[in-house]
Amino acid sequence: AELTALLLFEDKALYSAGMERVRAIFGGMPAPAVNGAFTGGAGQTLLLPRAGAKSRILLLVGAGPAASFGLEPARRAAANTR
């Protein structure tokens, strides 16, 4: 696949679990996640190119708080992947 997209919630425990997956896929922590620029907030996206990998691009999509996630926030998150 050219692109792999991961949905990340901003809730601390869910964000940490999601970033562990990112670390495993990406081979480390991307700088914007380390410095706090990407937090999993609704509407945030982070595009990470990956040289030599099966999926050449990793797209992180912020979903906001898990408690308020539903159909409309899912639609908005999906729209951010375009």
Short mmCIF file of all heavy atoms in Angstrom, two decimals:
data_model
loop_
_atom_site.label_atom_id
_atom_site.label_comp_id
_atom_site.label_asym_id
_atom_site.label_seq_id
_atom_site.Cartn_x
_atom_site.Cartn_y
_atom_site.Cartn_z
N ALA A 1 0.84 -1.19 0.00
CA ALA A 1 0.00 0.00 0.00
C ALA A 1 0.88 1.24 0.00
O ALA A 1 1.92 1.26 0.63
CB ALA A 1 -0.89 0.01 1.22
N GLU A 2 0.44 2.23 -0.69
CA GLU A 2 1.17 3.50 -0.73
C GLU A 2 1.04 4.25 0.59
O GLU A 2 1.96 4.92 1.02
CB GLU A 2 0.62 4.39 -1.85
CG GLU A 2 0.95 3.90 -3.23
CD GLU A 2 2.41 4.13 -3.57
OE1 GLU A 2 2.95 5.21 -3.26
OE2 GLU A 2 3.01 3.21 -4.15
N LEU A 3 -0.13 4.13 1.23
CA LEU A 3 -0.42 4.92 2.42
C LEU A 3 -1.08 4.06 3.49
O LEU A 3 -1.97 3.26 3.20
CB LEU A 3 -1.37 6.07 2.05
CG LEU A 3 -1.89 6.90 3.21
CD1 LEU A 3 -0.93 8.06 3.44
CD2 LEU A 3 -3.26 7.43 2.92
N THR A 4 -0.63 4.24 4.72
CA THR A 4 -1.29 3.64 5.87
C THR A 4 -1.74 4.79 6.75
O THR A 4 -0.94 5.66 7.09
CB THR A 4 -0.33 2.72 6.66
OG1 THR A 4 0.09 1.67 5.81
CG2 THR A 4 -1.01 2.16 7.89
N ALA A 5 -3.01 4.81 7.12
CA ALA A 5 -3.54 5.86 7.99
C ALA A 5 -3.89 5.25 9.35
O ALA A 5 -4.45 4.17 9.42
CB ALA A 5 -4.78 6.50 7.37
N LEU A 6 -3.52 5.96 10.41
CA LEU A 6 -3.84 5.54 11.77
C LEU A 6 -4.62 6.64 12.46
O LEU A 6 -4.21 7.80 12.43
CB LEU A 6 -2.57 5.26 12.57
CG LEU A 6 -1.74 4.06 12.16
CD1 LEU A 6 -0.46 4.01 12.97
CD2 LEU A 6 -2.53 2.79 12.37
N LEU A 7 -5.70 6.28 13.08
CA LEU A 7 -6.54 7.21 13.83
C LEU A 7 -6.06 7.20 15.28
O LEU A 7 -5.94 6.15 15.90
CB LEU A 7 -7.99 6.73 13.75
CG LEU A 7 -9.07 7.64 14.25
CD1 LEU A 7 -9.19 8.87 13.36
CD2 LEU A 7 -10.40 6.89 14.26
N LEU A 8 -5.76 8.38 15.82
CA LEU A 8 -5.26 8.49 17.19
C LEU A 8 -6.15 9.41 18.00
O LEU A 8 -6.49 10.51 17.55
CB LEU A 8 -3.83 9.03 17.21
CG LEU A 8 -2.78 8.12 16.58
CD1 LEU A 8 -1.46 8.84 16.47
CD2 LEU A 8 -2.61 6.88 17.41
N PHE A 9 -6.53 8.96 19.18
CA PHE A 9 -7.33 9.78 20.09
C PHE A 9 -6.40 10.59 20.99
O PHE A 9 -5.27 10.18 21.24
CB PHE A 9 -8.23 8.89 20.95
CG PHE A 9 -9.30 8.21 20.16
CD1 PHE A 9 -9.16 6.89 19.77
CD2 PHE A 9 -10.45 8.89 19.80
CE1 PHE A 9 -10.14 6.26 19.03
CE2 PHE A 9 -11.44 8.27 19.06
CZ PHE A 9 -11.28 6.95 18.67
N GLU A 10 -6.89 11.73 21.49
CA GLU A 10 -6.05 12.58 22.32
C GLU A 10 -6.02 12.15 23.79
O GLU A 10 -5.20 12.64 24.55
CB GLU A 10 -6.47 14.04 22.20
CG GLU A 10 -7.83 14.36 22.76
CD GLU A 10 -8.23 15.81 22.52
OE1 GLU A 10 -7.54 16.55 21.80
OE2 GLU A 10 -9.25 16.21 23.09
N ASP A 11 -6.88 11.23 24.20
CA ASP A 11 -6.87 10.72 25.58
C ASP A 11 -5.50 10.08 25.86
O ASP A 11 -5.01 9.31 25.03
CB ASP A 11 -7.97 9.68 25.77
CG ASP A 11 -9.32 10.21 25.34
OD1 ASP A 11 -9.65 10.08 24.14
OD2 ASP A 11 -10.02 10.77 26.19
N LYS A 12 -4.93 10.39 27.00
CA LYS A 12 -3.55 10.01 27.30
C LYS A 12 -3.25 8.53 27.08
O LYS A 12 -2.31 8.17 26.39
CB LYS A 12 -3.19 10.43 28.72
CG LYS A 12 -1.74 10.23 29.04
CD LYS A 12 -1.38 10.76 30.40
CE LYS A 12 0.10 10.54 30.64
NZ LYS A 12 0.53 11.14 31.89
N ALA A 13 -4.05 7.64 27.66
CA ALA A 13 -3.78 6.20 27.56
C ALA A 13 -3.93 5.71 26.11
O ALA A 13 -3.10 4.95 25.61
CB ALA A 13 -4.70 5.41 28.48
N LEU A 14 -4.99 6.16 25.43
CA LEU A 14 -5.21 5.74 24.04
C LEU A 14 -4.14 6.32 23.12
O LEU A 14 -3.68 5.66 22.19
CB LEU A 14 -6.60 6.16 23.58
CG LEU A 14 -7.76 5.44 24.26
CD1 LEU A 14 -9.09 6.04 23.84
CD2 LEU A 14 -7.73 3.95 23.96
N TYR A 15 -3.76 7.58 23.37
CA TYR A 15 -2.72 8.21 22.56
C TYR A 15 -1.40 7.47 22.72
O TYR A 15 -0.72 7.17 21.75
CB TYR A 15 -2.57 9.69 22.95
CG TYR A 15 -1.52 10.41 22.14
CD1 TYR A 15 -1.81 10.85 20.86
CD2 TYR A 15 -0.24 10.64 22.64
CE1 TYR A 15 -0.86 11.51 20.09
CE2 TYR A 15 0.71 11.30 21.89
CZ TYR A 15 0.40 11.73 20.63
OH TYR A 15 1.34 12.37 19.87
N SER A 16 -1.06 7.14 23.96
CA SER A 16 0.19 6.42 24.23
C SER A 16 0.20 5.06 23.53
O SER A 16 1.21 4.67 22.93
CB SER A 16 0.39 6.23 25.73
OG SER A 16 0.60 7.47 26.35
N ALA A 17 -0.92 4.35 23.59
CA ALA A 17 -1.01 3.05 22.93
C ALA A 17 -0.88 3.21 21.41
O ALA A 17 -0.19 2.43 20.75
CB ALA A 17 -2.34 2.37 23.27
N GLY A 18 -1.53 4.22 20.87
CA GLY A 18 -1.43 4.49 19.43
C GLY A 18 -0.02 4.85 19.01
O GLY A 18 0.48 4.41 17.97
N MET A 19 0.66 5.64 19.84
CA MET A 19 2.02 6.04 19.50
C MET A 19 3.00 4.88 19.63
O MET A 19 4.00 4.85 18.92
CB MET A 19 2.46 7.23 20.36
CG MET A 19 1.74 8.53 20.00
SD MET A 19 1.72 8.92 18.21
CE MET A 19 3.44 9.25 17.90
N GLU A 20 2.70 3.92 20.47
CA GLU A 20 3.54 2.70 20.51
C GLU A 20 3.42 1.96 19.18
O GLU A 20 4.40 1.42 18.68
CB GLU A 20 3.15 1.80 21.68
CG GLU A 20 3.64 2.31 23.01
CD GLU A 20 5.15 2.52 23.04
OE1 GLU A 20 5.91 1.64 22.57
OE2 GLU A 20 5.59 3.58 23.52
N ARG A 21 2.23 1.93 18.63
CA ARG A 21 2.04 1.32 17.30
C ARG A 21 2.80 2.10 16.24
O ARG A 21 3.44 1.52 15.37
CB ARG A 21 0.56 1.24 16.98
CG ARG A 21 0.27 0.55 15.68
CD ARG A 21 -1.15 0.04 15.65
NE ARG A 21 -1.50 -0.42 14.33
CZ ARG A 21 -1.31 -1.66 13.90
NH1 ARG A 21 -0.79 -2.57 14.69
NH2 ARG A 21 -1.66 -2.01 12.68
N VAL A 22 2.74 3.43 16.32
CA VAL A 22 3.48 4.28 15.39
C VAL A 22 4.98 3.99 15.51
O VAL A 22 5.67 3.85 14.50
CB VAL A 22 3.19 5.78 15.64
CG1 VAL A 22 4.14 6.66 14.85
CG2 VAL A 22 1.75 6.10 15.30
N ARG A 23 5.45 3.88 16.76
CA ARG A 23 6.88 3.60 16.98
C ARG A 23 7.27 2.27 16.31
O ARG A 23 8.31 2.17 15.67
CB ARG A 23 7.18 3.54 18.46
CG ARG A 23 8.65 3.32 18.78
CD ARG A 23 8.90 3.00 20.26
NE ARG A 23 8.20 3.85 21.17
CZ ARG A 23 8.70 4.91 21.78
NH1 ARG A 23 9.93 5.28 21.53
NH2 ARG A 23 7.99 5.60 22.64
N ALA A 24 6.41 1.27 16.43
CA ALA A 24 6.70 -0.04 15.83
C ALA A 24 6.69 0.03 14.30
O ALA A 24 7.54 -0.56 13.65
CB ALA A 24 5.68 -1.06 16.31
N ILE A 25 5.74 0.77 13.74
CA ILE A 25 5.64 0.88 12.28
C ILE A 25 6.73 1.78 11.72
O ILE A 25 7.38 1.47 10.72
CB ILE A 25 4.25 1.43 11.88
CG1 ILE A 25 3.16 0.42 12.21
CG2 ILE A 25 4.21 1.78 10.40
CD1 ILE A 25 1.75 0.97 12.08
N PHE A 26 6.93 2.92 12.37
CA PHE A 26 7.81 3.97 11.86
C PHE A 26 9.27 3.71 12.21
O PHE A 26 10.16 4.25 11.59
CB PHE A 26 7.34 5.33 12.41
CG PHE A 26 7.96 6.51 11.74
CD1 PHE A 26 7.70 6.81 10.42
CD2 PHE A 26 8.81 7.34 12.45
CE1 PHE A 26 8.26 7.91 9.81
CE2 PHE A 26 9.38 8.45 11.85
CZ PHE A 26 9.10 8.73 10.52
N GLY A 27 9.50 2.91 13.24
CA GLY A 27 10.87 2.64 13.65
C GLY A 27 11.40 3.67 14.63
O GLY A 27 12.60 3.80 14.81
N GLY A 28 10.54 4.41 15.25
CA GLY A 28 10.93 5.44 16.20
C GLY A 28 9.78 6.41 16.38
O GLY A 28 8.72 6.24 15.79
N MET A 29 10.01 7.42 17.20
CA MET A 29 8.97 8.42 17.42
C MET A 29 9.22 9.62 16.52
O MET A 29 10.31 10.19 16.53
CB MET A 29 8.97 8.87 18.88
CG MET A 29 8.40 7.84 19.80
SD MET A 29 6.69 7.48 19.45
CE MET A 29 5.91 8.38 20.73
N PRO A 30 8.23 10.01 15.72
CA PRO A 30 8.39 11.19 14.88
C PRO A 30 8.51 12.45 15.74
O PRO A 30 7.84 12.57 16.78
CB PRO A 30 7.12 11.21 14.03
CG PRO A 30 6.19 10.23 14.63
CD PRO A 30 6.95 9.35 15.55
N ALA A 31 9.37 13.36 15.33
CA ALA A 31 9.63 14.59 16.09
C ALA A 31 8.36 15.36 16.47
O ALA A 31 8.25 15.81 17.62
CB ALA A 31 10.60 15.48 15.33
N PRO A 32 7.38 15.53 15.57
CA PRO A 32 6.18 16.29 15.98
C PRO A 32 5.40 15.65 17.12
O PRO A 32 4.72 16.33 17.86
CB PRO A 32 5.33 16.34 14.70
CG PRO A 32 6.33 16.20 13.60
CD PRO A 32 7.36 15.24 14.15
N ALA A 33 5.52 14.35 17.27
CA ALA A 33 4.86 13.68 18.40
C ALA A 33 5.67 13.89 19.68
O ALA A 33 5.11 14.07 20.75
CB ALA A 33 4.68 12.20 18.12
N VAL A 34 6.98 13.88 19.55
CA VAL A 34 7.85 14.06 20.71
C VAL A 34 7.75 15.49 21.24
O VAL A 34 7.67 15.71 22.44
CB VAL A 34 9.31 13.72 20.34
CG1 VAL A 34 10.25 14.07 21.48
CG2 VAL A 34 9.44 12.25 19.98
N ASN A 35 7.72 16.47 20.33
CA ASN A 35 7.73 17.87 20.79
C ASN A 35 6.33 18.42 21.07
O ASN A 35 6.19 19.59 21.40
CB ASN A 35 8.48 18.76 19.80
CG ASN A 35 7.78 18.93 18.48
OD1 ASN A 35 6.58 18.74 18.36
ND2 ASN A 35 8.54 19.30 17.46
N GLY A 36 5.30 17.59 20.92
CA GLY A 36 3.94 18.00 21.27
C GLY A 36 3.18 18.70 20.17
O GLY A 36 2.06 19.15 20.38
N ALA A 37 3.73 18.78 18.97
CA ALA A 37 3.03 19.44 17.86
C ALA A 37 1.84 18.60 17.39
O ALA A 37 0.83 19.15 16.95
CB ALA A 37 3.98 19.70 16.69
N PHE A 38 1.94 17.28 17.46
CA PHE A 38 0.82 16.40 17.14
C PHE A 38 0.38 15.73 18.42
O PHE A 38 1.16 15.05 19.09
CB PHE A 38 1.21 15.34 16.10
CG PHE A 38 0.05 14.44 15.74
CD1 PHE A 38 -0.85 14.82 14.77
CD2 PHE A 38 -0.15 13.24 16.41
CE1 PHE A 38 -1.94 14.00 14.45
CE2 PHE A 38 -1.23 12.42 16.10
CZ PHE A 38 -2.12 12.81 15.12
N THR A 39 -0.89 15.92 18.78
CA THR A 39 -1.40 15.41 20.07
C THR A 39 -2.60 14.49 19.93
O THR A 39 -3.15 14.04 20.92
CB THR A 39 -1.81 16.59 20.96
OG1 THR A 39 -2.86 17.31 20.31
CG2 THR A 39 -0.64 17.52 21.24
N GLY A 40 -3.05 14.24 18.69
CA GLY A 40 -4.25 13.43 18.49
C GLY A 40 -5.52 14.25 18.55
O GLY A 40 -6.62 13.70 18.59
N GLY A 41 -5.39 15.57 18.57
CA GLY A 41 -6.56 16.44 18.60
C GLY A 41 -7.38 16.34 17.33
O GLY A 41 -6.86 16.04 16.26
N ALA A 42 -8.67 16.56 17.45
CA ALA A 42 -9.57 16.48 16.29
C ALA A 42 -9.08 17.42 15.19
O ALA A 42 -8.74 18.57 15.45
CB ALA A 42 -10.99 16.85 16.70
N GLY A 43 -9.02 16.90 13.99
CA GLY A 43 -8.62 17.69 12.83
C GLY A 43 -7.12 17.72 12.56
O GLY A 43 -6.69 18.18 11.51
N GLN A 44 -6.32 17.21 13.47
CA GLN A 44 -4.87 17.19 13.24
C GLN A 44 -4.50 16.06 12.30
O GLN A 44 -5.08 14.98 12.36
CB GLN A 44 -4.11 16.99 14.55
CG GLN A 44 -4.07 18.16 15.46
CD GLN A 44 -3.13 17.89 16.62
OE1 GLN A 44 -3.09 16.78 17.17
NE2 GLN A 44 -2.39 18.90 17.02
N THR A 45 -3.51 16.31 11.47
CA THR A 45 -2.93 15.26 10.63
C THR A 45 -1.42 15.41 10.65
O THR A 45 -0.89 16.52 10.82
CB THR A 45 -3.42 15.31 9.17
OG1 THR A 45 -3.14 16.59 8.62
CG2 THR A 45 -4.91 15.02 9.07
N LEU A 46 -0.73 14.31 10.47
CA LEU A 46 0.72 14.31 10.39
C LEU A 46 1.12 13.28 9.35
O LEU A 46 0.80 12.09 9.48
CB LEU A 46 1.34 13.98 11.75
CG LEU A 46 2.86 13.92 11.81
CD1 LEU A 46 3.48 15.26 11.41
CD2 LEU A 46 3.31 13.51 13.19
N LEU A 47 1.76 13.73 8.29
CA LEU A 47 2.18 12.87 7.19
C LEU A 47 3.65 12.52 7.38
O LEU A 47 4.50 13.41 7.49
CB LEU A 47 1.97 13.62 5.87
CG LEU A 47 1.96 12.83 4.59
CD1 LEU A 47 0.85 11.79 4.61
CD2 LEU A 47 1.78 13.76 3.42
N LEU A 48 3.94 11.24 7.43
CA LEU A 48 5.30 10.76 7.69
C LEU A 48 5.77 9.87 6.53
O LEU A 48 5.31 8.74 6.38
CB LEU A 48 5.34 9.95 8.99
CG LEU A 48 4.88 10.69 10.24
CD1 LEU A 48 4.68 9.70 11.38
CD2 LEU A 48 5.87 11.76 10.61
N PRO A 49 6.68 10.37 5.69
CA PRO A 49 7.22 9.52 4.63
C PRO A 49 8.12 8.44 5.22
O PRO A 49 8.80 8.66 6.22
CB PRO A 49 8.03 10.50 3.76
CG PRO A 49 8.22 11.70 4.59
CD PRO A 49 7.23 11.70 5.69
N ARG A 50 8.09 7.27 4.60
CA ARG A 50 8.86 6.12 5.09
C ARG A 50 9.60 5.49 3.93
O ARG A 50 9.03 4.75 3.15
CB ARG A 50 7.94 5.10 5.74
CG ARG A 50 7.18 5.64 6.92
CD ARG A 50 6.13 4.68 7.43
NE ARG A 50 6.71 3.38 7.70
CZ ARG A 50 6.11 2.24 7.40
NH1 ARG A 50 4.95 2.22 6.79
NH2 ARG A 50 6.67 1.11 7.70
N ALA A 51 10.87 5.77 3.81
CA ALA A 51 11.67 5.23 2.72
C ALA A 51 11.86 3.73 2.88
O ALA A 51 12.09 3.24 3.98
CB ALA A 51 13.02 5.92 2.67
N GLY A 52 11.71 3.01 1.80
CA GLY A 52 11.99 1.58 1.78
C GLY A 52 11.01 0.69 2.51
O GLY A 52 11.29 -0.46 2.76
N ALA A 53 9.86 1.19 2.85
CA ALA A 53 8.87 0.38 3.57
C ALA A 53 7.77 -0.07 2.61
O ALA A 53 7.61 0.50 1.54
CB ALA A 53 8.26 1.19 4.72
N LYS A 54 7.02 -1.11 3.01
CA LYS A 54 5.89 -1.58 2.20
C LYS A 54 4.91 -0.45 1.96
O LYS A 54 4.46 -0.22 0.84
CB LYS A 54 5.17 -2.71 2.94
CG LYS A 54 5.39 -4.06 2.38
CD LYS A 54 4.51 -5.04 3.15
CE LYS A 54 4.54 -6.38 2.49
NZ LYS A 54 3.71 -7.34 3.19
N SER A 55 4.52 0.21 3.02
CA SER A 55 3.65 1.37 2.93
C SER A 55 4.55 2.58 3.02
O SER A 55 5.19 2.82 4.03
CB SER A 55 2.65 1.35 4.09
OG SER A 55 1.82 2.48 4.02
N ARG A 56 4.63 3.36 1.93
CA ARG A 56 5.63 4.41 1.86
C ARG A 56 5.28 5.66 2.65
O ARG A 56 6.13 6.47 2.93
CB ARG A 56 5.88 4.78 0.40
CG ARG A 56 6.49 3.61 -0.35
CD ARG A 56 7.04 3.98 -1.67
NE ARG A 56 6.35 5.08 -2.29
CZ ARG A 56 6.27 5.28 -3.58
NH1 ARG A 56 6.84 4.44 -4.40
NH2 ARG A 56 5.64 6.32 -4.08
N ILE A 57 4.02 5.80 3.03
CA ILE A 57 3.60 6.99 3.78
C ILE A 57 2.72 6.55 4.95
O ILE A 57 1.83 5.74 4.79
CB ILE A 57 2.82 7.97 2.88
CG1 ILE A 57 3.68 8.43 1.71
CG2 ILE A 57 2.34 9.17 3.68
CD1 ILE A 57 2.92 9.19 0.65
N LEU A 58 3.00 7.12 6.10
CA LEU A 58 2.19 6.88 7.29
C LEU A 58 1.48 8.19 7.60
O LEU A 58 2.11 9.23 7.76
CB LEU A 58 3.08 6.46 8.46
CG LEU A 58 2.40 6.19 9.80
CD1 LEU A 58 1.36 5.07 9.66
CD2 LEU A 58 3.42 5.83 10.85
N LEU A 59 0.14 8.15 7.66
CA LEU A 59 -0.66 9.33 7.95
C LEU A 59 -1.32 9.15 9.31
O LEU A 59 -2.08 8.22 9.52
CB LEU A 59 -1.74 9.53 6.88
CG LEU A 59 -2.73 10.66 7.11
CD1 LEU A 59 -2.03 12.01 7.12
CD2 LEU A 59 -3.83 10.63 6.05
N LEU A 60 -0.99 10.04 10.24
CA LEU A 60 -1.63 10.04 11.55
C LEU A 60 -2.78 11.03 11.50
O LEU A 60 -2.61 12.16 11.04
CB LEU A 60 -0.64 10.44 12.64
CG LEU A 60 0.65 9.64 12.71
CD1 LEU A 60 1.49 10.11 13.88
CD2 LEU A 60 0.38 8.16 12.78
N VAL A 61 -3.94 10.59 11.95
CA VAL A 61 -5.14 11.43 11.92
C VAL A 61 -5.66 11.56 13.36
O VAL A 61 -5.96 10.56 14.01
CB VAL A 61 -6.24 10.81 11.03
CG1 VAL A 61 -7.48 11.68 11.02
CG2 VAL A 61 -5.72 10.60 9.61
N GLY A 62 -5.73 12.79 13.84
CA GLY A 62 -6.24 13.05 15.19
C GLY A 62 -7.75 12.92 15.23
O GLY A 62 -8.45 13.43 14.36
N ALA A 63 -8.25 12.24 16.26
CA ALA A 63 -9.69 12.01 16.39
C ALA A 63 -10.30 12.74 17.58
O ALA A 63 -11.50 12.65 17.78
CB ALA A 63 -9.96 10.51 16.51
N GLY A 64 -9.47 13.45 18.37
CA GLY A 64 -9.99 14.15 19.53
C GLY A 64 -10.26 13.19 20.67
O GLY A 64 -9.74 12.07 20.71
N PRO A 65 -11.10 13.59 21.64
CA PRO A 65 -11.38 12.72 22.77
C PRO A 65 -12.26 11.53 22.39
O PRO A 65 -13.22 11.68 21.64
CB PRO A 65 -12.11 13.63 23.76
CG PRO A 65 -12.53 14.83 23.00
CD PRO A 65 -11.71 14.90 21.75
N ALA A 66 -11.91 10.36 22.91
CA ALA A 66 -12.66 9.14 22.58
C ALA A 66 -14.11 9.23 23.01
O ALA A 66 -15.00 8.71 22.33
CB ALA A 66 -11.99 7.92 23.21
N ALA A 67 -14.38 9.90 24.13
CA ALA A 67 -15.75 9.97 24.66
C ALA A 67 -16.70 10.69 23.72
O ALA A 67 -17.90 10.41 23.71
CB ALA A 67 -15.75 10.67 26.02
N SER A 68 -16.19 11.61 22.90
CA SER A 68 -17.07 12.35 21.99
C SER A 68 -16.98 11.83 20.56
O SER A 68 -17.51 12.46 19.64
CB SER A 68 -16.75 13.84 22.03
OG SER A 68 -15.43 14.07 21.59
N PHE A 69 -16.31 10.68 20.37
CA PHE A 69 -16.16 10.13 19.01
C PHE A 69 -17.42 9.38 18.62
O PHE A 69 -17.97 8.62 19.40
CB PHE A 69 -14.95 9.20 18.95
CG PHE A 69 -14.53 8.88 17.54
CD1 PHE A 69 -13.89 9.83 16.77
CD2 PHE A 69 -14.77 7.64 17.01
CE1 PHE A 69 -13.49 9.54 15.48
CE2 PHE A 69 -14.38 7.33 15.72
CZ PHE A 69 -13.73 8.29 14.96
N GLY A 70 -17.89 9.65 17.43
CA GLY A 70 -19.08 8.98 16.90
C GLY A 70 -19.09 9.14 15.40
O GLY A 70 -18.06 9.36 14.77
N LEU A 71 -20.26 9.06 14.81
CA LEU A 71 -20.38 9.09 13.36
C LEU A 71 -19.86 10.38 12.75
O LEU A 71 -19.07 10.35 11.80
CB LEU A 71 -21.85 8.86 12.96
CG LEU A 71 -22.11 8.74 11.47
CD1 LEU A 71 -21.31 7.61 10.85
CD2 LEU A 71 -23.59 8.52 11.21
N GLU A 72 -20.27 11.52 13.27
CA GLU A 72 -19.84 12.79 12.69
C GLU A 72 -18.33 13.03 12.86
O GLU A 72 -17.65 13.37 11.90
CB GLU A 72 -20.65 13.97 13.25
CG GLU A 72 -20.33 15.31 12.61
CD GLU A 72 -20.50 15.35 11.09
OE1 GLU A 72 -21.28 14.55 10.53
OE2 GLU A 72 -19.83 16.18 10.45
N PRO A 73 -17.76 12.83 14.04
CA PRO A 73 -16.31 12.95 14.16
C PRO A 73 -15.56 11.95 13.28
O PRO A 73 -14.49 12.26 12.74
CB PRO A 73 -16.04 12.70 15.65
CG PRO A 73 -17.31 13.07 16.31
CD PRO A 73 -18.40 12.67 15.35
N ALA A 74 -16.11 10.76 13.10
CA ALA A 74 -15.48 9.76 12.21
C ALA A 74 -15.49 10.25 10.77
O ALA A 74 -14.51 10.11 10.05
CB ALA A 74 -16.20 8.42 12.32
N ARG A 75 -16.60 10.86 10.35
CA ARG A 75 -16.69 11.41 9.00
C ARG A 75 -15.65 12.51 8.80
O ARG A 75 -14.95 12.54 7.79
CB ARG A 75 -18.08 11.94 8.73
CG ARG A 75 -18.32 12.38 7.28
CD ARG A 75 -19.51 13.29 7.12
NE ARG A 75 -19.40 14.53 7.85
CZ ARG A 75 -18.62 15.56 7.49
NH1 ARG A 75 -17.85 15.48 6.43
NH2 ARG A 75 -18.57 16.66 8.21
N ARG A 76 -15.51 13.40 9.79
CA ARG A 76 -14.54 14.49 9.69
C ARG A 76 -13.10 13.94 9.65
O ARG A 76 -12.27 14.42 8.90
CB ARG A 76 -14.71 15.48 10.83
CG ARG A 76 -15.93 16.37 10.64
CD ARG A 76 -15.93 17.54 11.61
NE ARG A 76 -15.86 17.14 13.01
CZ ARG A 76 -16.89 16.94 13.79
NH1 ARG A 76 -18.11 17.13 13.34
NH2 ARG A 76 -16.71 16.58 15.05
N ALA A 77 -12.84 12.93 10.48
CA ALA A 77 -11.50 12.33 10.49
C ALA A 77 -11.20 11.69 9.14
O ALA A 77 -10.09 11.83 8.61
CB ALA A 77 -11.38 11.29 11.61
N ALA A 78 -12.16 10.99 8.57
CA ALA A 78 -11.97 10.38 7.25
C ALA A 78 -11.72 11.43 6.18
O ALA A 78 -10.92 11.25 5.28
CB ALA A 78 -13.18 9.52 6.89
N ALA A 79 -12.41 12.56 6.30
CA ALA A 79 -12.21 13.64 5.33
C ALA A 79 -10.79 14.19 5.40
O ALA A 79 -10.27 14.65 4.39
CB ALA A 79 -13.22 14.75 5.57
N ASN A 80 -10.17 14.11 6.56
CA ASN A 80 -8.79 14.59 6.70
C ASN A 80 -7.77 13.67 6.08
O ASN A 80 -6.61 14.03 5.99
CB ASN A 80 -8.46 14.79 8.19
CG ASN A 80 -9.08 16.03 8.76
OD1 ASN A 80 -9.36 16.97 8.02
ND2 ASN A 80 -9.32 16.02 10.04
N THR A 81 -8.16 12.50 5.63
CA THR A 81 -7.22 11.57 5.02
C THR A 81 -7.08 11.80 3.52
O THR A 81 -6.28 11.15 2.88
CB THR A 81 -7.62 10.11 5.26
OG1 THR A 81 -8.87 9.84 4.63
CG2 THR A 81 -7.70 9.80 6.75
N ARG A 82 -7.84 12.70 2.99
CA ARG A 82 -7.77 12.95 1.53
C ARG A 82 -6.66 13.87 1.18
O ARG A 82 -6.28 14.75 1.76
CB ARG A 82 -9.08 13.53 1.05
CG ARG A 82 -10.18 12.54 1.16
CD ARG A 82 -11.46 13.11 0.67
NE ARG A 82 -12.46 12.05 0.75
CZ ARG A 82 -13.52 12.02 0.02
NH1 ARG A 82 -13.75 12.97 -0.84
NH2 ARG A 82 -14.36 11.05 0.14
#
